[in-house]
Structures are given as structure tokens and as C-alpha cells.
Amino acid sequence: MNKINKIMVEREPFQKDGKNYFSYFIKGTVRGKDIRVLITPPDKGGWQVLDIVFGDANEAELELKPYEMKNEATGEVIKGNSFAVKSVDENGEVYECKIKPLRSSDKMLLNMLTK
């Protein structure tokens, strides 16, 4: 994998049914086109974890975690990345939450952005 620039996950507030929420996304450019990749935590409880990771900030760093798996039956090696968002507070404490692209198209865009 090539060395990439630091990628930030951003959030912005929105209202639905009179309640306040945040949407989480990554902005970037691929082949001259501006893209916006929607991300989500791996389960419902992850929204609270994301709120803790972001604290009072509206952006936090994307962390790529490369993996490699071998299919024992075929010998095929599957490579990819899992993703997390992390922040560090003023005391050096690291906060992290796993994330994933919201839709298949978001997954494709994120893979293009992180190559």
C-alpha cells in the first residue's frame, strides 16, 4: 500500500423528528472528482462511542488497519483494510472506534481514496 496523507473523518449535525444527530463522513478527491464517503459504526451502540471519540471536535483521524487472510481451501490470499476513527485528548489518552462505510458505493469510494 502506498503512503497516504492523513485522512480526516468529519461530522455535522442534523435534525430528524425533532432530535439532534450527527452524520459522519470523509471528504476527498478521486480522479479530480470531489467525493463524500458516509461512514457508520459497526453496530447501534457505536454511535455513543463515536460521540466520545469526537468529544467537542468536528473531525478526527481515520486509521487504516491492514489485514490479510488466507483461504485454506483455495490458498487465495485476501488483503484489505479495516477502518477506525481515533482522537487523542490533552492528556495523551487515545480514543478509538471501529467504523465501516455505510453503503457498497461508500466502500468502493473509500478504497479508491486510501490507495
Side-chain angles (χ1 to χ4, degrees), residues 11 15 19 21 36 51 55 72 74 77 82 87 92 99 112:
R11 73 175 180 177
Q15 283 192 343
K19 293 184 179 179
Y21 300 96
R36 184 174 167 128
D51 285 342
E72 296 299 327
T74 66
V77 176
S82 61
S87 65
I99 58 171
M112 289 177 199

Side-chain angles (χ1 to χ4, degrees), residues 70-112:
K70 184 176 182 180
N71 182 329
E72 296 299 327
T74 66
E76 178 185 11
V77 176
I78 300 167
K79 297 178 182 181
N81 291 307
S82 61
F83 303 98
V85 62
K86 75 172 188 177
S87 65
V88 181
D89 70 11
E90 62 278 352
N91 298 321
E93 185 76 29
V94 176
Y95 298 90
E96 185 174 295
C97 180
K98 289 183 181 181
I99 58 171
K100 64 181 184 176
L102 182 62
R103 303 172 294 228
S104 294
S105 58
D106 291 312
K107 181 177 181 179
M108 289 182 274
L109 289 170
L110 187 55
N111 285 335
M112 289 177 199

Side-chain angles (χ1 to χ4, degrees), residues 1 8 10 23 27 36 40 48 53 66-67 69 72 76 80-82 86 98 102 111 115:
M1 184 173 77
M8 301 304 287
E10 300 178 49
S23 65
K27 292 192 292 191
R36 184 174 167 128
T40 185
Q48 184 177 19
V53 170
Y67 66 85
M69 296 185 302
E72 296 299 327
E76 178 185 11
N81 291 307
S82 61
K86 75 172 188 177
K98 289 183 181 181
L102 182 62
N111 285 335
K115 291 221 184 260

Side-chain angles (χ1 to χ4, degrees), residues 25-45:
F25 57 91
I26 299 166
K27 292 192 292 191
T29 304
V30 175
R31 296 189 88 183
K33 295 190 182 283
D34 291 335
I35 62 167
R36 184 174 167 128
V37 179
L38 297 177
I39 61 106
T40 185
D43 57 43
K44 273 187 125 172

